[in-house]
Amino acid sequence: MVGAADRPVGAQFRTKKQSTDGTMTMPVAPAPALIYDVGKEKNMHTEDKEDGVDAALIALLALLWQARQEAPDKPWSLAKLAKRAGVQMSTLLRQLNALSSAKLVSVTTAESGGGSALLSAAGAELCASVFAPPPAG
């Protein structure tokens, strides 16, 4: 901080200072402004993106594709998905909301906090084309 050594600790939070006789107040210099780096902000939001698609969403689609391969009509619980994806439940729900809005995933939630997710027909079609093994030849 510029000039931080010139002020007592906590002075950056005060706007006025009482004089020694207690009758007069003097303004105290405001704390230095934080510098906001717009470029850093943009990089934070684009580092994990591949051609406009978030890598975490691709990973979640891959997990749901795996679930479909194991049991085509059986959804995975949200707890199982969160554990396999290695993310917190709030992050998983945010990602599932994005996929559900794109009509790629069907999500069922219960008032108790549980729930499950399953690829929709459109999601299964997309995953079949994206995660299909390369043709032998």
Side-chain angles (χ1 to χ4, degrees), residues 44-126:
M44 284 175 38
H45 295 293
T46 57
E47 284 176 352
D48 294 334
K49 300 217 177 187
E50 296 176 3
D51 297 328
V53 179
D54 192 334
L57 293 179
I58 294 171
L60 183 55
L61 281 172
L63 275 175
L64 290 166
W65 180 243
Q66 177 188 352
R68 186 177 182 93
Q69 301 307 304
E70 291 175 9
D73 295 323
K74 184 179 177 199
W76 271 8
S77 72
L78 298 181
K80 184 175 186 175
L81 277 170
K83 186 173 182 177
R84 293 259 180 123
V87 296
Q88 294 180 355
M89 186 62 74
S90 60
T91 302
L92 176 71
L93 290 172
R94 189 172 47 253
Q95 293 170 343
L96 286 172
N97 186 38
L99 294 173
S100 179
S101 294
K103 305 208 183 316
L104 298 174
V105 174
S106 298
V107 180
T108 306
T109 55
E111 287 185 28
S112 63
S116 59
L118 179 68
L119 282 175
S120 67
E125 193 175 308
L126 173 70

